[in-house]
Amino acid sequence: MTAVTEPTASSDPSATGRYDLIVVGSGFFGLTVAERSASQLGKRVLVLDRRHHLGGNAYSEAEPETGIEIHKYGAHLFHTSNQRVWDYVTQFTEFTGYQHRVFALHNGQSYQFPMGLGLISQFFGKYYSPAEARALIEEQSSEFDAKDAQNLEEKAISLIGRPLYEAFIRDYTAKQWQTDPKNLPAGNITRLPVRYNFDNRYFNDTYEGLPVDGYTAWLEKMASNEKIEVRLDTDWFDVKAELVAESPNAPIVYTGPLDAYFDYSEGRLGWRTLDFETEVLETGDFQGTPVMNYNDGDVPYTRIHEFRHFHPERDYPADKTVIMREYSRAAESDDEPYYPINTPDDRAKLEAYRDRAKAETVANNVLFGGRLGTYQYLDMHMAIASALNLYENTLAPHFETGASLAGDK
């Protein structure tokens, strides 16, 4: 765990305030902004987080009984085709050669996932060539026209056909959303890819791997600059008035929930959350793979992670393993938000919050970013790319030339 640093005295006697920049939230977005501002411009940065650790949902820790590194908030798999992001992150960590592969359990049988020739051949009981598989899916998906689909079920069937939909999508989706797919909008699924080959690598990005020493070591290195002070177990809203008075000219980068910043004045945005159930088992290998999806409706969880398989190169115990069952449900007011639900009602509220956020930038130099601060689902590489853009296009010009944080508005 990164030690909370003491504030560093400013080397610029003309500087106003104790900090040049305040970052609320220590996930990848916030830490990228903080690291760039400190290392490239020498700015004094305060990073706040209400949790007891750095890193937001990417935080990992050793399970105490086994020493196996677990991802406390669900599996995090790093992948990107963005060269700029890859060049940036490799300053702080090396990556293993891990390639993510997922299997799906249906009616007591495991299948390669995503859908490809392996799954199709196994599910339908015979080998299909690429051309034969395409013809099969085209025939089975002809039940509905995608453009006329009235709900998620019809849209999914129009993409992959009813047999595959009922086996691998229907019940899994119902568990994820706690709603019959017939009652979900067709727009919730834009595509369901089927690969007409035997490639079962989950991601197709140029770069993929896991941090050699784990996520926490990577995050701590990002925050290690002497110009960065980290305060954990600190709620921004409890210290906001004091910090703004102390550093009145410091821009604020807020990465917490957008609706919470404005005290839910436009209503609460809808989120999905996840519950996790971690267990140490007296076996060296529970499922033989890092992630197994449970696609049937009679199993309450959506998947099981077995963390030892993320790092086969490590010397983990041969007689014990750690698994984590993952459950999905709608987030309540005290829950940790994970995925935006993004209903039409949510989108209407979001537009109102975006207008308020723009006004807040103009009035109080507050910038909003990250998954929670923008109400978008962002993979890690996307959050980092977005943070680099904010730093390069907005913060750096502001610090270097006094450019407005609100741009040309």
Side-chain angles (χ1 to χ4, degrees):
M1 172 57 59
T2 297
V4 177
T5 58
E6 293 299 322
T8 304
S10 173
S11 59
D12 180 4
S14 65
T16 302
R18 186 174 179 182
Y19 305 105
D20 300 309
L21 175 67
I22 298 170
V23 177
V24 182
S26 69
F28 273 115
F29 188 97
L31 285 184
T32 299
V33 168
E35 187 282 327
R36 289 289 84 184
S37 299
S39 68
Q40 302 303 298
L41 300 176
K43 297 302 177 183
R44 302 159 300 160
V45 184
L46 173 65
V47 177
L48 306 172
D49 204 295
R50 61 182 177 81
R51 289 174 169 169
H52 72 278
H53 58 72
L54 279 175
N57 287 355
Y59 171 72
S60 64
E61 63 185 7
E63 192 283 322
E65 184 178 346
T66 63
I68 294 173
E69 181 191 2
I70 64 171
H71 302 175
K72 188 171 178 61
Y73 304 96
H76 281 66
L77 299 315
F78 191 81
H79 56 96
T80 186
S81 293
N82 186 321
Q83 187 67 49
R84 180 176 64 147
V85 169
W86 183 250
D87 290 342
Y88 177 70
V89 301
T90 50
Q91 297 177 66
F92 309 102
T93 181
E94 296 179 8
F95 287 85
T96 68
Y98 176 84
Q99 292 185 338
H100 193 48
R101 288 174 169 82
V102 172
F103 290 83
L105 203 63
H106 167 62
N107 281 350
Q109 177 63 275
S110 62
Y111 295 86
Q112 292 182 3
F113 216 72
M115 297 180 199
L117 289 186
L119 181 145
I120 290 171
S121 296
Q122 189 178 3
F123 184 75
F124 291 106
K126 57 168 283 190
Y127 165 72
Y128 285 83
S129 70
E132 291 170 337
R134 286 181 187 276
L136 175 69
I137 299 305
E138 286 179 6
E139 177 187 356
Q140 293 184 345
S141 62
S142 63
E143 181 179 346
F144 294 103
D145 191 317
K147 67 178 183 295
D148 298 326
Q150 299 299 305
N151 54 55
L152 188 150
E153 176 168 288
E154 293 181 5
K155 181 66 174 290
I157 292 171
S158 76
L159 296 171
I160 63 172
R162 184 176 291 275
L164 293 180
Y165 162 74
E166 292 183 347
F168 298 103
I169 304 299
R170 182 188 61 195
D171 294 341
Y172 193 87
T173 299
K175 288 192 288 188
Q176 281 186 313
W177 293 93
Q178 296 174 299
T179 303
D180 188 317
K182 292 187 182 72
N183 299 322
L184 291 171
N188 278 24
I189 284 186
T190 56
R191 66 187 189 96
L192 278 172
V194 178
R195 298 174 182 169
Y196 296 101
N197 56 41
F198 285 97
D199 178 14
N200 69 328
R201 183 181 166 195
Y202 197 77
F203 304 114
N204 291 317
D205 287 291
T206 305
Y207 304 107
E208 180 179 0
L210 292 170
V212 169
D213 296 319
Y215 280 99
T216 294
W218 171 8
L219 297 157
E220 288 178 345
K221 191 166 184 182
M222 290 182 71
S224 64
N225 190 292
E226 64 178 8
K227 293 285 188 178
I228 298 175
E229 178 189 347
V230 176
R231 294 189 198 174
L232 303 176
D233 293 307
T234 303
D235 190 309
W236 161 246
F237 299 105
D238 292 340
V239 297
K240 176 181 177 181
E242 172 191 344
L243 290 174
V244 169
E246 192 174 69
S247 301
N249 297 325
I252 296 160
V253 175
Y254 174 83
T255 70
L258 179 60
D259 51 358
Y261 184 91
F262 296 104
D263 199 24
Y264 309 103
S265 57
E266 307 294 339
R268 288 184 179 270
L269 293 169
W271 291 87
R272 302 295 297 172
T273 193
L274 298 175
D275 295 320
F276 302 104
E277 184 180 89
T278 304
E279 185 177 359
V280 176
L281 301 177
E282 301 292 327
T283 180
D285 193 344
F286 172 73
Q287 62 188 18
T289 192
V291 179
M292 181 73 74
N293 287 355
Y294 283 75
N295 294 70
D296 297 338
D298 59 352
V299 179
Y301 40 85
T302 55
R303 52 187 176 175
I304 292 181
H305 311 278
E306 186 174 9
F307 290 103
R308 69 178 309 114
H309 295 295
F310 288 127
H311 288 279
E313 77 282 1
R314 293 183 181 174
D315 186 22
Y316 285 148
D319 59 345
K320 291 184 179 181
T321 195
V322 182
I323 65 169
M324 176 185 281
R325 299 177 186 89
E326 181 177 310
Y327 302 79
S328 175
R329 60 178 174 82
E332 298 179 1
S333 59
D334 294 333
D335 287 322
E336 196 66 46
Y338 278 77
Y339 309 109
I341 295 177
N342 211 17
T343 65
D345 183 53
D346 287 322
R347 290 193 288 275
K349 294 173 186 175
L350 180 60
E351 285 304 311
Y353 280 124
R354 284 176 173 168
D355 289 341
R356 298 196 61 153
K358 290 175 184 176
E360 189 73 358
T361 302
V362 173
N364 295 309
N365 283 348
V366 180
L367 297 166
F368 297 82
R371 176 176 54 93
L372 303 181
T374 60
Y375 195 65
Q376 298 180 78
Y377 178 71
L378 300 175
D379 281 335
M380 290 179 285
H381 66 286
M382 298 166 66
I384 292 167
S386 179
L388 291 173
N389 288 338
L390 181 75
Y391 166 75
E392 293 170 0
N393 299 330
T394 303
L395 280 172
H398 173 77
F399 285 131
E400 293 172 333
T401 68
S404 170
L405 294 174
D408 298 328
K409 299 181 185 66

